[in-house]
């Protein structure tokens, strides 16, 4: 009887999800892409990813120690930032560059704005764009060193890195596409192409994205609205009409997959309402298309996501879900 | 003797004021447009700072001389005409003698006309004080502005290009952070230097007590914010 009439204040439902469990799910979802990146680009890729993760955790720890703030390094969010940044680095970049990007991502983009939940743009993307603007040449150089090993053995793998890739040249598929060349979509889907460590394999990224959807860590609205509006934009303004090869190459090329599933869905920097998420995805698709078609560079996902991050507070302000019971006509 | 000291103080005070207590760049935060836009290198910053200082000194003297002649109702157009004349002179001088600097400063030289520091000092100081004091105020503010720009320019050039005044400082292995010579770098460096200044509690308007007797903004936002929240609590 007592249990039945227990009166308590809301919230009445409780979920065991926490920041740590969400971040753990994101890390698990990124494992296929990371493993493929390391397999594809060699041990240097592993070192780069580890450098970024360690630098992110250290920066957050030292900042919070120094500023006498409660430590939040245990919630794994810094690990996710480091992992995402590592996956967004070209394998040829020196390791210190990954560390610098990590420090910028955590210190400037995340901690100076108040730590987890307060950052106005995705920290990993902030770090990446900082590096792209600072060291444009190195960050756009996707040449993999020591290619063309004829009989790969595990010792070669350790010594030279990269044995899976045969056809990698300096240019990414999007770069050659922009220059008017043609690309092999199947290779792009599987990931046997040039690019940053984690972005090449659309297949591995999709596995992670589906895992996040099943675990209900992310909502389908942002990635689906993003990808569909991007495809629509490319079909209209891409200059090739409804060309499956062209559209597929743009869909699987560059950072679109990792951006749509892992970066754009970042909780802090995406809208909270369903309509807002659709609107945000639509904006992302259009901006990415604008950057890719009309921009100077072949890639525009990072800039598009950061640009749309700035609109999230505005979207949240004007697109609000109707409160329960409000604004409905009463039944006659 | 004491009269002499007083006389000296009268001229030293505006000078020190402009250099430190009311440094236009780091304390008053005035003239941010050239501060952020043309401090891409130490030489650009120095050129901009000195040009502005020259215009400031000259216009301060001229406005102080004419302060009893200019009618109050049309003082702004009058100031603008005076400032614009000196800017034109400076622009032609730069174009004639240092064309490369003129080239790299570009539109920001004509824009000195609408620089807040110059009009601000004309309105707040030169129009109310004697020629001598206005001269010292112009020198203090002008040099304070130049020092501020130079500080930002040196840091940006050092990090963004690895050089200072085009002399290579950093070792060859240093990979310059290109972002620091672009627009974002200006904000990073300005905020960094201002934070440093606040951290060291340098004697400046940002670090004085907020209890100003005249009730004006002291610039000490941190303690001012605290007082606002205290006031809210009392409500």
């Amino acid at each position: 009887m007592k249990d039945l009439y227990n009166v308590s204040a809301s919230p009445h439902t409780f979920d065991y999800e926490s920041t740590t469990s969400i971040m753990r799910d994101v890390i698990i979802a990124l494992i296929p892409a990371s493993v493929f990146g390391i397999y594809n680009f060699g041990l240097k890729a592993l070192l780069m990813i580890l450098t970024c993760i360690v630098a992110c955790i250290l920066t957050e720890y030292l900042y919070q120690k120094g500023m006498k703030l409660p430590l939040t390094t245990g919630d794994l969010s810094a690990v996710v930032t480091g992992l995402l940044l590592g996956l967004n680095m070209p394998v040829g970049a020196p390791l210190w560059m990954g560390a610098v990007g990590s420090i910028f991502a955590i210190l400037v983009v995340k901690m100076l704005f108040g730590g987890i939940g307060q950052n106005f743009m995705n920290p990993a993307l902030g770090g990446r764009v900082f590096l792209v603007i600072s060291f444009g040449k190195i960050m756009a150089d996707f040449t993999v060193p020591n290619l063309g090993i004829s009989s790969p053995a595990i010792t070669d793998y350790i010594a030279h890195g990269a044995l899976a890739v045969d056809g990698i040249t300096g240019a990414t598929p999007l770069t050659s596409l922009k220059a008017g060349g043609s690309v092999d979509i199947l290779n792009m889907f599987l990931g046997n192409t040039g690019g940053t460590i984690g972005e090449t394999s659309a297949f591995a990224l999709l596995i992670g994205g589906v895992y996040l959807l099943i675990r209900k860590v992310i909502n389908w609205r942002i990635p689906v609205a993003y990808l569909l509006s991007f495809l629509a934009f490319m079909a209209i303004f891409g200059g090739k009409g409804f060309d499956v090869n062209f559209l597929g190459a743009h869909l699987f090329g560059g950072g679109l997959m990792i951006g749509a599933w892992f970066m754009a869905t970042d909780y802090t920097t995406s809208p909270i309402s369903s309509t807002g998420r659709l609107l945000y995805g639509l904006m992302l698709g259009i901006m990415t298309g604008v950057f890719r078609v009309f921009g100077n560079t072949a890639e525009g996902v990072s800039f598009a996501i950061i640009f749309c991050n700035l609109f999230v507070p505005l979207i949240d302000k004007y697109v609000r879900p109707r409160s329960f019971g409000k604004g409905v006509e009463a039944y006659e | 003797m004491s009269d002499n000291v007083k006389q000296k103080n009268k001229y030293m005070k505006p000078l020190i004021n402009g250099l430190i207590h009311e440094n236009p760049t780091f304390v008053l935060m005035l003239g941010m447009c050239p501060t952020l836009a043309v401090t891409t290198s130490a030489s650009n910053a120095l050129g901009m700072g000195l040009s502005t200082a020259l215009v400031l000194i000259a216009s301060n003297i001229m406005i102080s001389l004419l302060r009893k002649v200019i009618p109050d109702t049309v003082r702004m157009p009058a100031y603008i005409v005076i400032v614009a004349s000196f800017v034109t002179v400076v622009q032609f001088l730069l174009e004639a003698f240092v064309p490369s600097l003129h080239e790299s400063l570009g539109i920001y030289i004509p824009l000195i006309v609408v620089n807040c520091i110059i009009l601000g000092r004309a309105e707040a100081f030169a129009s109310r004080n004697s020629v001598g004091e206005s001269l010292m105020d112009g020198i203090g503010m002008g040099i304070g502005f130049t020092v501020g720009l130079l500080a930002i320019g040196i840091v940006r050039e050092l990090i963004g290009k690895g050089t200072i005044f085009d002399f290579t400082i950093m070792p060859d292995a240093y990979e310059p952070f290109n972002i620091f010579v672009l627009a974002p770098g200006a904000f990073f460096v300005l905020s960094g230097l201002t934070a440093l200044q606040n951290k060291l509690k340098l004697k400046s308007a940002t670090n004085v007590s907020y209890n100003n007797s005249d009730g004006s903004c002291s610039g000490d936002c941190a303690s001012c914010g605290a007082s606002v929240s205290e006031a809210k609590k009392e409500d």
Side-chain angles (χ1 to χ4, degrees):
Chain A
M1 202 61 182
K2 206 182 160 198
D3 285 347
L4 205 59
Y5 289 107
N6 185 21
V7 178
S8 65
S10 62
H12 300 293
T13 55
F14 183 79
D15 192 81
Y16 287 94
E17 209 171 53
S18 66
T19 307
T20 316
S21 75
I22 291 170
M23 292 300 164
R24 194 183 303 128
D25 272 338
V26 176
I27 293 169
I28 292 171
L30 280 169
I31 285 177
S34 313
V35 169
F36 185 84
I38 295 163
Y39 166 71
N40 208 357
F41 293 110
L43 278 189
K44 176 79 190 304
L46 179 66
L47 281 180
M48 177 60 85
I49 292 172
L50 288 181
T51 306
C52 288
I53 293 176
V54 171
C56 278
I57 297 174
L58 260 184
T59 310
E60 187 162 314
Y61 179 79
L62 291 177
Y63 179 84
Q64 288 176 334
K65 269 278 171 205
M67 302 299 282
K68 298 188 174 62
L69 294 167
L71 290 176
T72 59
T73 39
D75 67 13
L76 297 180
S77 64
V79 178
V80 170
T81 301
L83 184 55
L84 279 173
L85 183 64
L87 294 180
N88 270 291
M89 297 289 293
V91 74
L95 291 178
W96 63 262
M97 216 171 259
V100 166
S102 308
I103 293 169
F104 182 84
I106 294 292
L107 188 67
V108 178
V109 183
K110 187 178 172 192
M111 299 320 294
L112 287 188
F113 285 89
I116 183 166
Q118 307 291 329
N119 45 300
F120 72 99
M121 65 160 91
N122 187 309
L125 276 181
R128 174 183 148 82
V129 166
F130 178 81
L131 294 177
V132 167
I133 296 175
S134 289
F135 315 106
K137 230 175 121 188
I138 298 171
M139 288 297 288
D141 181 9
F142 296 111
T143 320
V144 177
N146 297 313
L147 274 179
I149 306 154
S150 50
S151 57
I154 192 69
T155 46
D156 288 332
Y157 185 73
I158 292 165
H160 306 286
L163 58 86
V165 277
D166 283 332
I168 294 191
T169 55
T172 64
L174 281 188
T175 318
S176 48
L177 203 64
K178 184 133 183 159
S182 63
V183 288
D184 183 351
I185 287 205
L186 185 67
N187 264 343
M188 289 182 72
F189 183 70
L190 293 175
N192 287 326
T193 53
T196 68
I197 293 170
E199 75 178 10
T200 53
S201 174
F203 180 61
L205 288 166
L206 272 176
I207 295 176
V210 169
Y211 173 79
L212 287 183
L213 278 181
I214 292 171
R215 296 280 296 166
K216 293 194 173 138
V217 171
I218 61 170
N219 184 281
W220 60 272
R221 285 186 179 82
I222 294 173
V224 170
Y226 186 178
L227 298 176
L228 285 182
S229 62
F230 172 72
L231 282 183
F233 185 93
M234 292 312 282
I236 299 168
F237 296 102
K240 296 236 175 128
F242 195 78
D243 177 350
V244 178
N245 194 43
F246 176 75
L247 291 182
H250 266 291
L251 186 63
F252 300 135
L256 185 63
M257 280 294 158
I258 194 169
W261 295 101
F262 294 96
M263 309 278 214
T265 53
D266 175 18
Y267 283 5
T268 315
T269 54
S270 63
I272 45 174
S273 62
S274 298
T275 324
R277 284 175 175 164
L278 288 174
L279 197 66
Y280 175 67
L282 183 76
M283 257 186 92
L284 282 169
I286 294 172
M287 285 316 298
T288 308
V290 166
F291 278 119
R292 279 198 184 171
V293 176
F294 303 110
N296 279 331
T297 53
E299 181 55 297
V301 172
S302 318
F303 291 104
I305 295 178
I306 280 187
F307 184 79
C308 294
N309 280 167
L310 303 179
F311 284 86
V312 168
L314 206 65
I315 295 174
D316 273 340
K317 188 176 176 192
Y318 288 105
V319 183
R320 289 194 173 178
R322 187 170 50 79
S323 307
F324 185 69
K326 266 197 181 169
V328 196
E329 295 290 320
Y331 287 110
E332 295 291 323
Chain B
M1 183 69 189
S2 74
D3 248 22
N4 198 5
V5 171
K6 211 175 168 188
Q7 195 70 13
K8 202 181 157 197
N9 269 344
K10 191 177 149 194
Y11 292 116
M12 285 311 285
K13 214 182 147 200
L15 186 70
I16 300 298
N17 189 41
L19 274 174
I20 297 165
H21 301 307
E22 288 186 24
N23 184 296
T25 308
F26 293 122
V27 180
L28 298 182
M29 293 270 172
L30 280 180
M32 283 294 112
C33 172
T35 306
L36 295 171
V38 294
T39 51
T40 50
S41 69
S43 50
N44 276 1
L46 187 65
M48 185 68 202
L50 289 180
S51 313
T52 311
L54 206 66
V55 174
L56 182 59
I57 293 166
S59 67
N60 257 9
I61 294 171
M62 187 60 88
I63 288 165
S64 179
L65 279 172
L66 296 174
R67 70 185 186 278
K68 289 182 179 129
V69 184
I70 299 171
D72 209 31
T73 42
V74 291
R75 64 186 194 284
M76 277 300 156
Y79 296 164
I80 293 276
V81 170
I82 293 168
V83 176
S85 317
F86 287 118
V87 170
T88 314
V89 172
V90 167
Q91 188 179 6
F92 282 138
L93 285 175
L94 286 178
E95 199 169 357
F97 294 106
V98 270
S100 62
L101 185 65
H102 179 263
E103 190 83 2
S104 60
L105 292 183
I107 184 68
Y108 292 99
I109 299 173
L111 279 179
I112 295 176
V113 176
V114 287
N115 191 314
C116 326
I117 299 167
I118 294 171
L119 275 184
R121 292 329 283 175
E123 175 77 9
F125 201 93
S127 62
R128 295 171 197 171
N129 290 288
S130 69
V131 179
E133 286 167 284
S134 300
L135 168 70
M136 295 312 277
D137 180 70
I139 294 174
M141 282 286 163
I143 295 177
F145 185 64
T146 310
V147 169
L149 255 61
L150 201 56
I152 297 174
I154 285 176
V155 176
R156 284 181 73 182
E157 192 180 337
L158 184 66
I159 304 178
K161 282 189 204 142
T163 60
I164 292 177
F165 286 112
D166 290 333
F167 291 112
T168 308
I169 303 287
M170 293 296 201
D172 280 347
Y174 177 73
E175 191 73 43
F177 286 61
N178 198 20
I179 197 168
F180 276 87
V181 292
L182 302 172
F187 288 94
F188 293 153
V189 173
L190 177 67
S191 55
L193 291 177
T194 309
L196 194 68
Q197 179 201 20
N198 282 347
K199 176 72 190 165
L200 297 176
K201 300 229 181 292
L202 295 181
K203 199 169 161 50
S204 75
T206 47
N207 287 321
V208 296
S209 156
Y210 62 88
N211 283 327
N212 264 14
S213 50
D214 57 355
S216 65
C217 170
S218 65
D220 188 359
C221 297
S223 61
C224 193
S227 70
V228 168
S229 55
E230 271 165 29
K232 268 183 191 160
K233 254 183 247 162
E234 282 160 18
D235 282 351

